[in-house]
Amino acid sequence: MAQQRIDPNAAIIELGQIKFGETDLSGVLTQVSELARRTIPGAEEVSVTLLKQEGAHTAAFSGEMALRLDELQYEFDHGPCLEAARKATVVSVPEMAQEVRWPEWAARAVQDGALSSLSIGFPIQETVLGALNIYGIAPGAFDDDAVTLAQTFAGYAAVALANAHLYDTTVTLAAQMQSAMQSRAVIEQAKGIIMGERRCTPDEAFAVLAKVSHDSNRKLRDVAAALVERAARPASPKRDRGDAGSLP
């Protein structure tokens, strides 16, 4: 079935407009693979391989054939997408029926209707490698112009991955900082309560919290939060405000 092609310049502009705060990494890579499928001459289906220490997986794909042929390579532990990812290079299979480097995989690809392929490797981080994989249904589907365009998309995929990773890291760091600030605030509140009850110094109040935390095998923040919650409840006539046992 003929596919509607889009102008490469328009596709590149669209890649540059991806908003990382509005989609996850999978969504970003899905956009990259779908735009590549619609832009690169000869592309029938496209996928993105990520290669980590724990193994390879297909992070995005535009069709089931691409996914099957990727996963078959992971099963064999060899093939063009793995070669491209591991060496950050371009791996072309112009005539799948005549491929001798990975004959078993190539035979299965022919059965699935892929008669040529092109994989562009790209480094992401020290522990993560990747490859943009393009499958064609005709022999010799990818000329020099197609290779150049595929390299452009692979470059954008690498940038998208780096930016998505940076975004996730920044969001995580912000959440951690917010949690730390909240913990500090509740601990200061608890210290204030102890200082008022025991007429002690801030250091002595913190030492009381630390001892309860250690003796009860609970986090300092949890001990502090329980004390603040207890202090917020209506006063009980039986509460001994000077007794160490009043700490939760």
Side-chain angles (χ1 to χ4, degrees):
M1 182 174 63
Q3 300 177 14
Q4 182 180 1
R5 297 293 174 182
I6 61 176
D7 179 72
N9 292 328
I12 291 171
I13 290 173
E14 189 170 339
L15 284 174
Q17 293 176 340
I18 293 175
K19 296 180 179 179
F20 299 100
E22 298 179 0
T23 184
D24 58 10
L25 178 59
S26 176
V28 171
L29 295 181
T30 296
Q31 289 184 58
V32 170
S33 61
E34 183 59 28
L35 282 169
R37 180 190 69 83
R38 296 171 57 199
T39 306
I40 298 172
E44 181 68 18
E45 293 186 9
V46 176
S47 65
V48 177
T49 291
L50 294 186
L51 182 58
K52 302 181 181 180
Q53 291 180 337
E54 59 269 26
H57 75 281
T58 297
F61 57 95
S62 67
E64 293 297 328
M65 179 179 71
L67 178 62
R68 285 195 303 271
L69 295 182
D70 284 358
E71 291 183 338
L72 194 59
Q73 292 178 67
Y74 310 151
E75 180 183 334
F76 291 153
D77 195 32
H78 64 233
C81 76
L82 292 178
E83 181 88 0
R86 287 166 177 163
K87 297 183 178 180
T89 190
V90 177
V91 178
S92 175
V93 182
E95 299 280 348
M96 197 71 73
Q98 300 176 18
E99 176 56 48
V100 296
R101 290 168 292 183
W102 311 287
E104 187 177 1
W105 173 81
R108 296 281 291 274
V110 170
Q111 291 176 4
D112 256 14
L115 301 185
S116 56
S117 73
L118 178 66
S119 292
I120 312 291
F122 51 88
I124 306 165
Q125 318 169 28
E126 290 183 0
T127 57
V128 185
L129 301 173
L132 180 71
N133 312 304
I134 305 102
Y135 295 97
I137 57 174
F142 309 111
D143 58 17
D144 291 343
D145 290 340
V147 172
T148 299
L149 190 53
Q151 289 175 312
T152 299
F153 272 88
Y156 272 93
V159 170
L161 282 164
N163 286 341
H165 175 73
L166 177 61
Y167 178 83
D168 289 344
T169 300
T170 302
V171 169
T172 300
L173 180 59
Q176 290 173 343
M177 290 180 64
Q178 182 178 15
S179 177
M181 291 174 65
Q182 291 173 342
S183 295
R184 180 174 179 177
V186 77
I187 290 170
E188 290 299 319
Q189 285 180 287
K191 283 169 58 180
I193 293 169
I194 295 172
M195 290 166 62
E197 290 183 350
R198 304 194 177 197
R199 303 295 189 268
C200 62
T201 67
D203 288 345
E204 290 170 337
F206 184 82
V208 171
L209 281 175
K211 185 176 187 305
V212 174
S213 172
H214 178 269
D215 292 348
S216 62
N217 194 28
R218 296 159 65 197
K219 292 181 180 179
L220 185 66
R221 183 192 186 284
D222 293 341
V223 172
L227 177 56
V228 171
E229 182 182 358
R230 186 212 66 181
R233 295 197 295 263
S236 168
K238 295 183 178 181
R239 180 186 294 172
D240 183 357
R241 298 180 64 83
D243 185 1
S246 66
L247 277 170

